[in-house]
PDB file of all heavy atoms in Angstrom:
ATOM      1  N   ARG C   1     120.839 101.388  86.158  1.00  0.00           N
ATOM      2  CA  ARG C   1     119.565 100.878  86.646  1.00  0.00           C
ATOM      3  C   ARG C   1     119.642 100.844  88.151  1.00  0.00           C
ATOM      4  O   ARG C   1     120.699 100.590  88.728  1.00  0.00           O
ATOM      5  CB  ARG C   1     119.331  99.458  86.103  1.00  0.00           C
ATOM      6  CG  ARG C   1     119.075  99.408  84.610  1.00  0.00           C
ATOM      7  CD  ARG C   1     118.942  98.001  84.131  1.00  0.00           C
ATOM      8  NE  ARG C   1     118.779  97.940  82.689  1.00  0.00           N
ATOM      9  CZ  ARG C   1     118.835  96.837  81.975  1.00  0.00           C
ATOM     10  NH1 ARG C   1     119.079  95.666  82.565  1.00  0.00           N
ATOM     11  NH2 ARG C   1     118.667  96.865  80.648  1.00  0.00           N
ATOM     12  N   MET C   2     118.502 101.047  88.819  1.00  0.00           N
ATOM     13  CA  MET C   2     118.461 101.091  90.263  1.00  0.00           C
ATOM     14  C   MET C   2     117.398 100.145  90.802  1.00  0.00           C
ATOM     15  O   MET C   2     116.432  99.791  90.110  1.00  0.00           O
ATOM     16  CB  MET C   2     118.157 102.527  90.726  1.00  0.00           C
ATOM     17  CG  MET C   2     119.141 103.587  90.265  1.00  0.00           C
ATOM     18  SD  MET C   2     120.794 103.333  90.970  1.00  0.00           S
ATOM     19  CE  MET C   2     120.470 103.569  92.718  1.00  0.00           C
ATOM     20  N   ALA C   3     117.592  99.765  92.067  1.00  0.00           N
ATOM     21  CA  ALA C   3     116.631  98.845  92.661  1.00  0.00           C
ATOM     22  C   ALA C   3     116.615  99.008  94.169  1.00  0.00           C
ATOM     23  O   ALA C   3     117.529  99.592  94.769  1.00  0.00           O
ATOM     24  CB  ALA C   3     117.002  97.398  92.307  1.00  0.00           C
ATOM     25  N   TRP C   4     115.524  98.535  94.760  1.00  0.00           N
ATOM     26  CA  TRP C   4     115.419  98.414  96.221  1.00  0.00           C
ATOM     27  C   TRP C   4     115.322  96.915  96.556  1.00  0.00           C
ATOM     28  O   TRP C   4     114.593  96.160  95.908  1.00  0.00           O
ATOM     29  CB  TRP C   4     114.168  99.104  96.718  1.00  0.00           C
ATOM     30  CG  TRP C   4     114.224 100.595  96.658  1.00  0.00           C
ATOM     31  CD1 TRP C   4     113.736 101.399  95.685  1.00  0.00           C
ATOM     32  CD2 TRP C   4     114.822 101.467  97.631  1.00  0.00           C
ATOM     33  NE1 TRP C   4     113.982 102.710  95.984  1.00  0.00           N
ATOM     34  CE2 TRP C   4     114.644 102.785  97.170  1.00  0.00           C
ATOM     35  CE3 TRP C   4     115.486 101.263  98.849  1.00  0.00           C
ATOM     36  CZ2 TRP C   4     115.089 103.903  97.877  1.00  0.00           C
ATOM     37  CZ3 TRP C   4     115.923 102.362  99.563  1.00  0.00           C
ATOM     38  CH2 TRP C   4     115.732 103.668  99.070  1.00  0.00           C
ATOM     39  N   PHE C   5     116.054  96.527  97.599  1.00  0.00           N
ATOM     40  CA  PHE C   5     115.963  95.212  98.198  1.00  0.00           C
ATOM     41  C   PHE C   5     115.649  95.384  99.670  1.00  0.00           C
ATOM     42  O   PHE C   5     115.805  96.487 100.230  1.00  0.00           O
ATOM     43  CB  PHE C   5     117.279  94.454  98.035  1.00  0.00           C
ATOM     44  CG  PHE C   5     117.562  93.979  96.614  1.00  0.00           C
ATOM     45  CD1 PHE C   5     117.989  94.853  95.637  1.00  0.00           C
ATOM     46  CD2 PHE C   5     117.379  92.641  96.290  1.00  0.00           C
ATOM     47  CE1 PHE C   5     118.229  94.424  94.346  1.00  0.00           C
ATOM     48  CE2 PHE C   5     117.639  92.177  94.990  1.00  0.00           C
ATOM     49  CZ  PHE C   5     118.043  93.063  94.041  1.00  0.00           C
ATOM     50  N   ARG C   6     115.258  94.305 100.327  1.00  0.00           N
ATOM     51  CA  ARG C   6     115.046  94.370 101.784  1.00  0.00           C
ATOM     52  C   ARG C   6     115.468  93.058 102.428  1.00  0.00           C
ATOM     53  O   ARG C   6     115.437  92.017 101.783  1.00  0.00           O
ATOM     54  CB  ARG C   6     113.597  94.703 102.103  1.00  0.00           C
ATOM     55  CG  ARG C   6     112.595  93.627 101.706  1.00  0.00           C
ATOM     56  CD  ARG C   6     111.182  94.135 101.948  1.00  0.00           C
ATOM     57  NE  ARG C   6     110.171  93.110 101.624  1.00  0.00           N
ATOM     58  CZ  ARG C   6     108.847  93.350 101.627  1.00  0.00           C
ATOM     59  NH1 ARG C   6     108.393  94.556 101.979  1.00  0.00           N
ATOM     60  NH2 ARG C   6     108.014  92.363 101.328  1.00  0.00           N
ATOM     61  N   GLN C   7     115.828  93.162 103.714  1.00  0.00           N
ATOM     62  CA  GLN C   7     116.265  91.975 104.440  1.00  0.00           C
ATOM     63  C   GLN C   7     115.661  92.025 105.841  1.00  0.00           C
ATOM     64  O   GLN C   7     115.965  92.933 106.611  1.00  0.00           O
ATOM     65  CB  GLN C   7     117.782  91.881 104.507  1.00  0.00           C
ATOM     66  CG  GLN C   7     118.287  90.584 105.075  1.00  0.00           C
ATOM     67  CD  GLN C   7     119.772  90.377 104.853  1.00  0.00           C
ATOM     68  OE1 GLN C   7     120.506  91.331 104.561  1.00  0.00           O
ATOM     69  NE2 GLN C   7     120.214  89.150 104.954  1.00  0.00           N
ATOM     70  N   ALA C   8     114.829  91.048 106.120  1.00  0.00           N
ATOM     71  CA  ALA C   8     114.263  90.900 107.470  1.00  0.00           C
ATOM     72  C   ALA C   8     115.192  90.086 108.322  1.00  0.00           C
ATOM     73  O   ALA C   8     116.006  89.295 107.803  1.00  0.00           O
ATOM     74  CB  ALA C   8     112.875  90.247 107.363  1.00  0.00           C
ATOM     75  N   PRO C   9     115.093  90.179 109.644  1.00  0.00           N
ATOM     76  CA  PRO C   9     115.972  89.426 110.541  1.00  0.00           C
ATOM     77  C   PRO C   9     115.876  87.927 110.278  1.00  0.00           C
ATOM     78  O   PRO C   9     114.782  87.378 110.196  1.00  0.00           O
ATOM     79  CB  PRO C   9     115.461  89.775 111.938  1.00  0.00           C
ATOM     80  CG  PRO C   9     114.820  91.103 111.772  1.00  0.00           C
ATOM     81  CD  PRO C   9     114.208  91.096 110.411  1.00  0.00           C
ATOM     82  N   GLY C  10     117.052  87.308 110.083  1.00  0.00           N
ATOM     83  CA  GLY C  10     117.097  85.877 109.893  1.00  0.00           C
ATOM     84  C   GLY C  10     116.699  85.398 108.525  1.00  0.00           C
ATOM     85  O   GLY C  10     116.577  84.181 108.278  1.00  0.00           O
ATOM     86  N   LYS C  11     116.475  86.336 107.594  1.00  0.00           N
ATOM     87  CA  LYS C  11     116.043  85.965 106.242  1.00  0.00           C
ATOM     88  C   LYS C  11     117.038  86.490 105.209  1.00  0.00           C
ATOM     89  O   LYS C  11     117.898  87.336 105.486  1.00  0.00           O
ATOM     90  CB  LYS C  11     114.665  86.500 105.961  1.00  0.00           C
ATOM     91  CG  LYS C  11     113.581  85.913 106.851  1.00  0.00           C
ATOM     92  CD  LYS C  11     112.200  86.329 106.400  1.00  0.00           C
ATOM     93  CE  LYS C  11     111.120  85.655 107.254  1.00  0.00           C
ATOM     94  NZ  LYS C  11     109.760  86.056 106.816  1.00  0.00           N
ATOM     95  N   GLU C  12     116.896  85.977 104.002  1.00  0.00           N
ATOM     96  CA  GLU C  12     117.771  86.415 102.907  1.00  0.00           C
ATOM     97  C   GLU C  12     117.322  87.797 102.412  1.00  0.00           C
ATOM     98  O   GLU C  12     116.189  88.226 102.660  1.00  0.00           O
ATOM     99  CB  GLU C  12     117.710  85.407 101.764  1.00  0.00           C
ATOM    100  CG  GLU C  12     118.294  84.057 102.104  1.00  0.00           C
ATOM    101  CD  GLU C  12     118.324  83.139 100.911  1.00  0.00           C
ATOM    102  OE1 GLU C  12     117.736  83.465  99.885  1.00  0.00           O
ATOM    103  OE2 GLU C  12     118.934  82.041 101.023  1.00  0.00           O
ATOM    104  N   ARG C  13     118.223  88.450 101.686  1.00  0.00           N
ATOM    105  CA  ARG C  13     117.879  89.723 101.078  1.00  0.00           C
ATOM    106  C   ARG C  13     116.959  89.492  99.892  1.00  0.00           C
ATOM    107  O   ARG C  13     117.285  88.721  98.989  1.00  0.00           O
ATOM    108  CB  ARG C  13     119.152  90.442 100.663  1.00  0.00           C
ATOM    109  CG  ARG C  13     118.940  91.875 100.244  1.00  0.00           C
ATOM    110  CD  ARG C  13     120.278  92.589 100.065  1.00  0.00           C
ATOM    111  NE  ARG C  13     121.014  92.673 101.333  1.00  0.00           N
ATOM    112  CZ  ARG C  13     122.139  93.379 101.483  1.00  0.00           C
ATOM    113  NH1 ARG C  13     122.623  94.069 100.451  1.00  0.00           N
ATOM    114  NH2 ARG C  13     122.761  93.415 102.651  1.00  0.00           N
ATOM    115  N   ASP C  14     115.814  90.151  99.887  1.00  0.00           N
ATOM    116  CA  ASP C  14     114.805  89.963  98.842  1.00  0.00           C
ATOM    117  C   ASP C  14     114.650  91.191  97.965  1.00  0.00           C
ATOM    118  O   ASP C  14     114.737  92.312  98.420  1.00  0.00           O
ATOM    119  CB  ASP C  14     113.435  89.648  99.481  1.00  0.00           C
ATOM    120  CG  ASP C  14     113.400  88.307 100.133  1.00  0.00           C
ATOM    121  OD1 ASP C  14     114.138  87.389  99.695  1.00  0.00           O
ATOM    122  OD2 ASP C  14     112.587  88.141 101.071  1.00  0.00           O
ATOM    123  N   PHE C  15     114.358  90.928  96.720  1.00  0.00           N
ATOM    124  CA  PHE C  15     114.079  91.991  95.743  1.00  0.00           C
ATOM    125  C   PHE C  15     112.739  92.671  96.079  1.00  0.00           C
ATOM    126  O   PHE C  15     111.764  91.997  96.450  1.00  0.00           O
ATOM    127  CB  PHE C  15     114.031  91.387  94.339  1.00  0.00           C
ATOM    128  CG  PHE C  15     113.524  92.326  93.286  1.00  0.00           C
ATOM    129  CD1 PHE C  15     114.328  93.350  92.807  1.00  0.00           C
ATOM    130  CD2 PHE C  15     112.235  92.189  92.792  1.00  0.00           C
ATOM    131  CE1 PHE C  15     113.869  94.205  91.825  1.00  0.00           C
ATOM    132  CE2 PHE C  15     111.790  93.035  91.796  1.00  0.00           C
ATOM    133  CZ  PHE C  15     112.574  94.056  91.323  1.00  0.00           C
ATOM    134  N   VAL C  16     112.709  93.981  95.923  1.00  0.00           N
ATOM    135  CA  VAL C  16     111.466  94.747  96.125  1.00  0.00           C
ATOM    136  C   VAL C  16     111.006  95.392  94.832  1.00  0.00           C
ATOM    137  O   VAL C  16     109.877  95.173  94.399  1.00  0.00           O
ATOM    138  CB  VAL C  16     111.677  95.841  97.196  1.00  0.00           C
ATOM    139  CG1 VAL C  16     110.431  96.704  97.326  1.00  0.00           C
ATOM    140  CG2 VAL C  16     112.027  95.207  98.539  1.00  0.00           C
ATOM    141  N   ALA C  17     111.881  96.205  94.208  1.00  0.00           N
ATOM    142  CA  ALA C  17     111.479  96.924  92.995  1.00  0.00           C
ATOM    143  C   ALA C  17     112.721  97.375  92.245  1.00  0.00           C
ATOM    144  O   ALA C  17     113.784  97.556  92.826  1.00  0.00           O
ATOM    145  CB  ALA C  17     110.617  98.122  93.356  1.00  0.00           C
ATOM    146  N   ALA C  18     112.561  97.588  90.939  1.00  0.00           N
ATOM    147  CA  ALA C  18     113.651  98.060  90.094  1.00  0.00           C
ATOM    148  C   ALA C  18     113.126  99.079  89.081  1.00  0.00           C
ATOM    149  O   ALA C  18     111.921  99.086  88.780  1.00  0.00           O
ATOM    150  CB  ALA C  18     114.335  96.891  89.385  1.00  0.00           C
ATOM    151  N   ILE C  19     114.031  99.883  88.578  1.00  0.00           N
ATOM    152  CA  ILE C  19     113.656 100.957  87.639  1.00  0.00           C
ATOM    153  C   ILE C  19     114.763 101.105  86.607  1.00  0.00           C
ATOM    154  O   ILE C  19     115.959 100.985  86.922  1.00  0.00           O
ATOM    155  CB  ILE C  19     113.361 102.278  88.381  1.00  0.00           C
ATOM    156  CG1 ILE C  19     112.720 103.308  87.453  1.00  0.00           C
ATOM    157  CG2 ILE C  19     114.619 102.807  89.043  1.00  0.00           C
ATOM    158  CD1 ILE C  19     112.132 104.489  88.222  1.00  0.00           C
ATOM    159  N   THR C  20     114.357 101.381  85.374  1.00  0.00           N
ATOM    160  CA  THR C  20     115.346 101.554  84.316  1.00  0.00           C
ATOM    161  C   THR C  20     116.057 102.895  84.406  1.00  0.00           C
ATOM    162  O   THR C  20     115.706 103.758  85.209  1.00  0.00           O
ATOM    163  CB  THR C  20     114.675 101.410  82.926  1.00  0.00           C
ATOM    164  OG1 THR C  20     113.549 102.312  82.859  1.00  0.00           O
ATOM    165  CG2 THR C  20     114.213  99.991  82.696  1.00  0.00           C
ATOM    166  N   VAL C  21     117.037 103.117  83.532  1.00  0.00           N
ATOM    167  CA  VAL C  21     117.847 104.305  83.545  1.00  0.00           C
ATOM    168  C   VAL C  21     116.999 105.563  83.455  1.00  0.00           C
ATOM    169  O   VAL C  21     117.162 106.506  84.225  1.00  0.00           O
ATOM    170  CB  VAL C  21     118.857 104.239  82.393  1.00  0.00           C
ATOM    171  CG1 VAL C  21     119.514 105.585  82.146  1.00  0.00           C
ATOM    172  CG2 VAL C  21     119.925 103.190  82.659  1.00  0.00           C
ATOM    173  N   GLY C  22     116.060 105.588  82.500  1.00  0.00           N
ATOM    174  CA  GLY C  22     115.228 106.776  82.302  1.00  0.00           C
ATOM    175  C   GLY C  22     113.991 106.821  83.161  1.00  0.00           C
ATOM    176  O   GLY C  22     113.266 107.819  83.151  1.00  0.00           O
ATOM    177  N   GLY C  23     113.716 105.713  83.861  1.00  0.00           N
ATOM    178  CA  GLY C  23     112.554 105.673  84.747  1.00  0.00           C
ATOM    179  C   GLY C  23     111.260 105.304  84.062  1.00  0.00           C
ATOM    180  O   GLY C  23     110.192 105.327  84.695  1.00  0.00           O
ATOM    181  N   ARG C  24     111.309 104.921  82.769  1.00  0.00           N
ATOM    182  CA  ARG C  24     110.074 104.639  82.067  1.00  0.00           C
ATOM    183  C   ARG C  24     109.550 103.226  82.321  1.00  0.00           C
ATOM    184  O   ARG C  24     108.370 102.925  82.034  1.00  0.00           O
ATOM    185  CB  ARG C  24     110.255 104.888  80.566  1.00  0.00           C
ATOM    186  CG  ARG C  24     110.282 106.344  80.196  1.00  0.00           C
ATOM    187  CD  ARG C  24     110.582 106.592  78.744  1.00  0.00           C
ATOM    188  NE  ARG C  24     111.979 106.297  78.420  1.00  0.00           N
ATOM    189  CZ  ARG C  24     112.511 106.499  77.243  1.00  0.00           C
ATOM    190  NH1 ARG C  24     111.771 106.959  76.256  1.00  0.00           N
ATOM    191  NH2 ARG C  24     113.772 106.211  77.031  1.00  0.00           N
ATOM    192  N   ALA C  25     110.391 102.357  82.805  1.00  0.00           N
ATOM    193  CA  ALA C  25     109.961 100.984  83.097  1.00  0.00           C
ATOM    194  C   ALA C  25     110.283 100.631  84.533  1.00  0.00           C
ATOM    195  O   ALA C  25     111.353 101.003  85.035  1.00  0.00           O
ATOM    196  CB  ALA C  25     110.598 100.012  82.138  1.00  0.00           C
ATOM    197  N   THR C  26     109.370  99.923  85.180  1.00  0.00           N
ATOM    198  CA  THR C  26     109.559  99.504  86.570  1.00  0.00           C
ATOM    199  C   THR C  26     109.155  98.050  86.712  1.00  0.00           C
ATOM    200  O   THR C  26     108.445  97.504  85.845  1.00  0.00           O
ATOM    201  CB  THR C  26     108.700 100.368  87.532  1.00  0.00           C
ATOM    202  OG1 THR C  26     107.339 100.298  87.141  1.00  0.00           O
ATOM    203  CG2 THR C  26     109.165 101.807  87.552  1.00  0.00           C
ATOM    204  N   TYR C  27     109.613  97.449  87.768  1.00  0.00           N
ATOM    205  CA  TYR C  27     109.354  96.029  88.010  1.00  0.00           C
ATOM    206  C   TYR C  27     109.260  95.837  89.514  1.00  0.00           C
ATOM    207  O   TYR C  27     110.081  96.364  90.256  1.00  0.00           O
ATOM    208  CB  TYR C  27     110.504  95.227  87.412  1.00  0.00           C
ATOM    209  CG  TYR C  27     110.445  93.731  87.573  1.00  0.00           C
ATOM    210  CD1 TYR C  27     109.304  93.017  87.224  1.00  0.00           C
ATOM    211  CD2 TYR C  27     111.532  93.025  88.050  1.00  0.00           C
ATOM    212  CE1 TYR C  27     109.259  91.645  87.382  1.00  0.00           C
ATOM    213  CE2 TYR C  27     111.512  91.644  88.180  1.00  0.00           C
ATOM    214  CZ  TYR C  27     110.357  90.975  87.848  1.00  0.00           C
ATOM    215  OH  TYR C  27     110.334  89.599  87.978  1.00  0.00           O
ATOM    216  N   TYR C  28     108.235  95.078  89.958  1.00  0.00           N
ATOM    217  CA  TYR C  28     107.965  94.915  91.373  1.00  0.00           C
ATOM    218  C   TYR C  28     107.877  93.453  91.773  1.00  0.00           C
ATOM    219  O   TYR C  28     107.384  92.613  91.017  1.00  0.00           O
ATOM    220  CB  TYR C  28     106.676  95.601  91.769  1.00  0.00           C
ATOM    221  CG  TYR C  28     106.698  97.103  91.583  1.00  0.00           C
ATOM    222  CD1 TYR C  28     106.260  97.681  90.386  1.00  0.00           C
ATOM    223  CD2 TYR C  28     107.136  97.956  92.605  1.00  0.00           C
ATOM    224  CE1 TYR C  28     106.271  99.056  90.199  1.00  0.00           C
ATOM    225  CE2 TYR C  28     107.170  99.323  92.432  1.00  0.00           C
ATOM    226  CZ  TYR C  28     106.738  99.856  91.219  1.00  0.00           C
ATOM    227  OH  TYR C  28     106.766 101.229  91.059  1.00  0.00           O
ATOM    228  N   ALA C  29     108.252  93.186  93.013  1.00  0.00           N
ATOM    229  CA  ALA C  29     107.952  91.897  93.585  1.00  0.00           C
ATOM    230  C   ALA C  29     106.452  91.783  93.809  1.00  0.00           C
ATOM    231  O   ALA C  29     105.799  92.796  94.068  1.00  0.00           O
ATOM    232  CB  ALA C  29     108.694  91.743  94.910  1.00  0.00           C
ATOM    233  N   ASP C  30     105.918  90.588  93.679  1.00  0.00           N
ATOM    234  CA  ASP C  30     104.478  90.415  93.840  1.00  0.00           C
ATOM    235  C   ASP C  30     103.997  90.878  95.205  1.00  0.00           C
ATOM    236  O   ASP C  30     102.883  91.382  95.347  1.00  0.00           O
ATOM    237  CB  ASP C  30     104.102  88.935  93.662  1.00  0.00           C
ATOM    238  CG  ASP C  30     104.216  88.486  92.210  1.00  0.00           C
ATOM    239  OD1 ASP C  30     104.249  89.352  91.315  1.00  0.00           O
ATOM    240  OD2 ASP C  30     104.264  87.277  91.970  1.00  0.00           O
ATOM    241  N   SER C  31     104.825  90.741  96.213  1.00  0.00           N
ATOM    242  CA  SER C  31     104.419  91.074  97.588  1.00  0.00           C
ATOM    243  C   SER C  31     104.181  92.569  97.794  1.00  0.00           C
ATOM    244  O   SER C  31     103.543  92.960  98.771  1.00  0.00           O
ATOM    245  CB  SER C  31     105.464  90.583  98.583  1.00  0.00           C
ATOM    246  OG  SER C  31     106.732  91.147  98.286  1.00  0.00           O
ATOM    247  N   VAL C  32     104.726  93.414  96.923  1.00  0.00           N
ATOM    248  CA  VAL C  32     104.587  94.856  97.098  1.00  0.00           C
ATOM    249  C   VAL C  32     103.830  95.532  95.961  1.00  0.00           C
ATOM    250  O   VAL C  32     103.537  96.742  96.019  1.00  0.00           O
ATOM    251  CB  VAL C  32     105.953  95.544  97.281  1.00  0.00           C
ATOM    252  CG1 VAL C  32     106.739  94.908  98.409  1.00  0.00           C
ATOM    253  CG2 VAL C  32     106.741  95.558  95.967  1.00  0.00           C
ATOM    254  N   LYS C  33     103.485  94.763  94.945  1.00  0.00           N
ATOM    255  CA  LYS C  33     102.846  95.332  93.761  1.00  0.00           C
ATOM    256  C   LYS C  33     101.510  95.974  94.158  1.00  0.00           C
ATOM    257  O   LYS C  33     100.729  95.398  94.908  1.00  0.00           O
ATOM    258  CB  LYS C  33     102.616  94.218  92.741  1.00  0.00           C
ATOM    259  CG  LYS C  33     102.438  94.690  91.313  1.00  0.00           C
ATOM    260  CD  LYS C  33     102.376  93.511  90.357  1.00  0.00           C
ATOM    261  CE  LYS C  33     103.705  92.762  90.339  1.00  0.00           C
ATOM    262  NZ  LYS C  33     103.681  91.655  89.360  1.00  0.00           N
ATOM    263  N   GLY C  34     101.290  97.219  93.697  1.00  0.00           N
ATOM    264  CA  GLY C  34     100.062  97.945  94.031  1.00  0.00           C
ATOM    265  C   GLY C  34     100.164  98.749  95.298  1.00  0.00           C
ATOM    266  O   GLY C  34      99.299  99.574  95.563  1.00  0.00           O
ATOM    267  N   ARG C  35     101.199  98.502  96.088  1.00  0.00           N
ATOM    268  CA  ARG C  35     101.377  99.263  97.371  1.00  0.00           C
ATOM    269  C   ARG C  35     102.599 100.161  97.325  1.00  0.00           C
ATOM    270  O   ARG C  35     102.603 101.226  97.925  1.00  0.00           O
ATOM    271  CB  ARG C  35     101.499  98.298  98.537  1.00  0.00           C
ATOM    272  CG  ARG C  35     100.276  97.393  98.742  1.00  0.00           C
ATOM    273  CD  ARG C  35     100.384  96.603 100.035  1.00  0.00           C
ATOM    274  NE  ARG C  35     101.529  95.715 100.057  1.00  0.00           N
ATOM    275  CZ  ARG C  35     102.499  95.737 100.980  1.00  0.00           C
ATOM    276  NH1 ARG C  35     102.456  96.614 101.950  1.00  0.00           N
ATOM    277  NH2 ARG C  35     103.508  94.868 100.914  1.00  0.00           N
ATOM    278  N   PHE C  36     103.665  99.708  96.662  1.00  0.00           N
ATOM    279  CA  PHE C  36     104.935 100.445  96.606  1.00  0.00           C
ATOM    280  C   PHE C  36     105.117 101.019  95.207  1.00  0.00           C
ATOM    281  O   PHE C  36     104.717 100.426  94.214  1.00  0.00           O
ATOM    282  CB  PHE C  36     106.105  99.521  96.905  1.00  0.00           C
ATOM    283  CG  PHE C  36     106.215  99.045  98.340  1.00  0.00           C
ATOM    284  CD1 PHE C  36     105.189  99.249  99.248  1.00  0.00           C
ATOM    285  CD2 PHE C  36     107.354  98.383  98.754  1.00  0.00           C
ATOM    286  CE1 PHE C  36     105.276  98.790 100.562  1.00  0.00           C
ATOM    287  CE2 PHE C  36     107.486  97.943 100.069  1.00  0.00           C
ATOM    288  CZ  PHE C  36     106.442  98.121 100.971  1.00  0.00           C
TER     289      PHE C  36
END
């Protein structure tokens, strides 16, 4: 399984999106849903 995280200066590392092994299921943080 794979994922993207991000870290802004002075902040903790936050989850962005994840994808299953075959790519058929994905999961997004609310802050990026519909844009990423």
